[in-house]
């Protein structure tokens, strides 16, 4: 069974540009989560999508947005990029989340903003 | 609250010894507590998890204990090996906030 996949693996942008990151969950998983992991730091929750709807978002500005498609894959968009957006962006999927389900992570997209 | 405190931030042990990492949380409604291992340049991998109706869970050399009254849980690794070297993250599912909150991570180094 294939795990969570993410693309691209690396992304280089300049300040002010937009970035689009993609995630495909494990087959059968309906929930997709996005996290930001800045260098040497922990994982900060960004967004949660389930069954095509945004269920929750973390303490990030509105320029961080996304969506989930009918096949449960997801896209994270970051507008008006700032230098501090440089980080590893991790996607995770689970079977849905009524009470806390196990989340499985993808390999991440490393975003560098110059 | 959504606070998850993890200690220590770094831990160095001799190969074969045990390692213990502790996390405390503030939300008494929390009900799911996973531990992830992240090797350098790789994705976080789930190594063990525990739910609030269980006090202890073991999987070979790894065990997790949960004290709901005191709101803390710990990861225990016995007979450590060089491949156990990594950053370990605890996490707590905050039922009210509907999100997984991670600790700050512990860099574990196993010295041969």
């Amino acid at each position: 069974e294939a795990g969570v996949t993410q693309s691209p693996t690396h992304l280089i942008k300049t300040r002010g540009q937009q970035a689009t990151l993609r995630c495909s969950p494990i087959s059968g998983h309906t929930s997709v989560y996005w996290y930001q992991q800045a260098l040497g730091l922990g994982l900060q929750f960004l967004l949660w999508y389930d069954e095509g709807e945004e269920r929750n978002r973390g303490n990030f500005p509105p320029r961080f947005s996304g969506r989930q498609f009918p096949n449960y894959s997801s896209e994270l968009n970051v507008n008006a990029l700032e230098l501090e957006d440089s980080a590893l962006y991790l996607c995770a999927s689970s079977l849905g989340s009524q009470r806390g389900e196990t989340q499985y992570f993808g390999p991440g997209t490393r975003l560098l903003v110059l | 609250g959504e606070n998850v405190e993890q200690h220590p931030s770094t831990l160095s042990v001799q190969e074969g010894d045990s390692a213990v990492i502790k996390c405390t949380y503030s939300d008494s409604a929390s009900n799911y507590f996973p531990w992830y291992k992240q090797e350098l340049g790789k994705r976080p991998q789930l190594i063990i998890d525990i739910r609030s109706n269980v006090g202890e869970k073991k999987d070979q050399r790894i065990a997790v204990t949960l004290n709901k009254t005191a709101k803390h849980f710990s990861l225990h690794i016995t007979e450590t090996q060089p491949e156990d070297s990594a950053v370990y993250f605890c996490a707590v599912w905050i039922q009210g906030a509907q999100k997984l909150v991670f600790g700050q991570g512990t860099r574990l180094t196993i010295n041969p």
Side-chain angles (χ1 to χ4, degrees):
Chain A
E1 179 183 287
V4 178
T5 60
Q6 292 185 244
S7 64
T9 55
H10 292 81
L11 192 56
I12 300 175
K13 294 285 185 179
T14 56
R15 198 169 45 183
Q17 285 189 313
Q18 180 201 31
T20 298
L21 290 63
R22 296 179 178 84
C23 172
S24 290
I26 292 171
S27 177
H29 285 189
T30 62
S31 274
V32 170
Y33 312 80
W34 288 95
Y35 294 88
Q36 183 194 66
Q37 186 176 31
L39 192 63
L41 298 180
L43 288 80
Q44 301 298 318
F45 168 71
L46 263 168
L47 289 159
W48 169 27
Y49 293 95
D50 183 58
E51 297 283 1
E53 302 280 333
E54 182 181 301
R55 299 296 186 191
N56 200 5
R57 66 178 294 130
N59 296 326
F60 282 84
R63 56 191 187 82
F64 287 83
S65 65
R67 54 180 171 165
Q68 187 177 34
F69 300 98
N71 66 354
Y72 302 113
S73 67
S74 177
E75 201 171 81
L76 173 69
N77 295 293
V78 188
N79 294 320
L81 284 165
E82 299 178 2
L83 297 178
E84 52 265 34
D85 295 334
S86 295
L88 180 67
Y89 288 84
L90 291 160
C91 166
S93 74
S94 76
L95 283 168
S97 195
Q98 298 304 311
R99 62 187 183 106
E101 300 293 338
T102 302
Q103 296 184 21
Y104 298 92
F105 283 87
T109 292
R110 192 164 294 281
L111 173 64
L112 178 61
V113 182
L114 301 175
Chain B
E2 301 179 7
N3 252 11
V4 178
E5 297 288 331
Q6 182 172 345
H7 296 282
S9 57
T10 60
L11 179 60
S12 183
V13 301
Q14 287 298 120
E15 184 178 352
D17 288 350
S18 296
V20 180
I21 303 170
K22 182 176 176 179
C23 284
T24 60
Y25 60 97
S26 53
D27 183 10
S28 56
S30 301
N31 57 11
Y32 175 60
F33 310 87
W35 283 91
Y36 287 87
K37 174 184 180 182
Q38 187 175 29
E39 296 177 73
L40 190 62
K42 297 196 174 178
R43 75 185 78 191
Q45 296 264 19
L46 178 77
I47 54 171
I48 198 167
D49 56 8
I50 193 168
R51 296 201 178 268
S52 56
N53 57 347
V54 176
E56 184 174 356
K57 184 176 178 181
K58 192 173 180 182
D59 182 4
Q60 300 183 338
R61 297 186 297 108
I62 293 173
V64 56
T65 57
L66 172 65
N67 185 327
K68 281 206 72 181
T69 304
K71 295 184 201 165
H72 66 73
F73 59 111
S74 299
L75 176 71
H76 305 255
I77 306 174
T78 58
E79 300 171 24
T80 53
Q81 300 167 3
E83 53 265 37
D84 294 329
S85 294
V87 178
Y88 291 80
F89 291 98
C90 66
V92 177
W93 176 258
I94 310 291
Q95 187 64 20
Q98 290 282 289
K99 64 181 181 181
L100 198 59
V101 176
F102 285 79
Q104 299 88 339
T106 296
R107 183 173 299 279
L108 175 64
T109 302
I110 308 301
N111 301 307

